[in-house]
Amino acid sequence: MSSSSCSPGVVSEDICLTQPQALDQLVKLLPRGRAWRTDEDAPVRRGFLNALAASWAYIEERLCALRLEFFCQSETETNDVWLRQYGLPDACDPYPDLCGKVAAFGGTQCDYFQAIAARAGWSIACLETGCGAIAGRALAGCAQAGRGRRMGELHVLVNLADSPAYTGGYRTPPLAGRLLAGQPLACPPDLSALECLLERIVHAHVLIVYSTTTVPASSMDFRSGDNSSLLAAIAA
């Protein structure tokens, strides 16, 4: 049966010779004639060929085992090589499973970033922007003193209330004129886990700007094309 067939009954055509099979192949390679007999009348020659067959069978066994190392589902002996090539283990990697990372296609769109963040327990909305003015931020270009030209920005709005991965809590900063004696100043939320995650999948030349909100999850869907609500939340 051809190995290229898609039939469920397909079997591999790869053959890994055992020692008796290797011996049989060696015997068949000998010249014809009484001088090359290897039966019971010539035990020394047969013993020599059997020793060669043992080495041949070992090589066959290792070659067949090597074939399995080319696929993450069956690799065992080269696991350290696979992990090193794919940068695992990595606490920040969006694909901590080796085979999951091998099969991953990646992406550069907000939908992809949202999906990866959601898998890690973060509810986000994002907006990709290039150079130029941004509503509510008065950004008139991409030039920055001491830095090269920035190709673009990715504004990420994190819904803390709907992010199971966020365990640091949140506290609204005191408003001007409403700060009371003994009231603690709010610290910015710790988004280091999310930042580490997105740094693995967002292009290095893109500046990621984070904002947070506690609005209901239903208000986090900005895929309709109307970015006004997202821009307003970022500018707040």
Side-chain angles (χ1 to χ4, degrees):
M1 183 178 295
S2 173
S3 60
S4 61
S5 171
C6 294
S7 169
V10 67
V11 294
S12 173
E13 292 182 346
D14 296 324
I15 299 175
C16 303
L17 297 180
T18 63
Q19 183 169 343
Q21 291 171 329
L23 175 61
D24 183 61
Q25 293 296 316
L26 287 173
V27 170
K28 291 179 180 179
L29 292 176
L30 292 176
R32 301 292 182 180
R34 296 175 58 188
W36 303 99
R37 294 174 56 183
T38 57
D39 53 20
E40 63 276 2
D41 294 331
V44 175
R45 180 178 293 125
R46 188 173 185 87
F48 174 75
L49 293 177
N50 197 43
L52 292 180
S55 297
W56 185 356
Y58 175 75
I59 294 174
E60 292 269 342
E61 176 189 350
R62 299 309 301 149
L63 287 175
C64 286
L66 179 62
R67 179 190 59 190
L68 301 177
E69 300 302 313
F70 283 92
F71 308 95
C72 70
Q73 295 88 345
S74 57
E75 57 82 19
T76 54
E77 298 182 50
T78 58
N79 183 255
D80 58 330
V81 178
W82 276 87
L83 294 178
R84 185 165 62 250
Q85 288 290 328
Y86 281 88
L88 295 174
D90 183 348
C92 295
D93 201 293
Y95 297 99
D97 175 69
L98 173 62
C99 289
K101 189 168 185 179
V102 171
F105 285 99
T108 59
Q109 303 299 317
C110 281
D111 284 349
Y112 173 68
F113 302 146
Q114 287 176 305
I116 293 297
R119 286 176 47 183
W122 294 94
S123 176
I124 70 171
C126 67
L127 173 66
E128 297 171 281
T129 63
C131 300
I134 299 177
R137 292 181 61 86
L139 180 62
C142 290
Q144 290 184 326
R147 297 181 60 180
R149 182 177 183 273
R150 189 167 61 240
M151 298 301 296
E153 291 186 357
L154 178 69
H155 293 269
V156 175
L157 182 61
V158 187
N159 189 327
L160 300 180
D162 199 37
S163 297
Y166 181 69
T167 58
Y170 54 88
R171 193 183 319 154
T172 303
L175 300 177
R178 297 185 182 181
L179 179 60
L180 303 177
Q183 180 179 356
L185 294 175
C187 296
D190 182 10
L191 304 179
S192 57
L194 175 62
E195 293 172 3
C196 189
L197 175 70
L198 292 182
E199 285 176 358
R200 294 294 192 277
I201 58 177
V202 177
H203 288 178
H205 67 268
V206 177
L207 175 67
I208 307 177
V209 180
Y210 293 91
S211 301
T212 59
T213 184
T214 58
V215 298
S218 59
S219 301
M220 294 291 289
D221 187 4
F222 301 97
R223 291 173 291 179
S224 63
D226 179 11
N227 297 317
S228 59
S229 52
L230 176 56
L231 288 170
I234 292 174

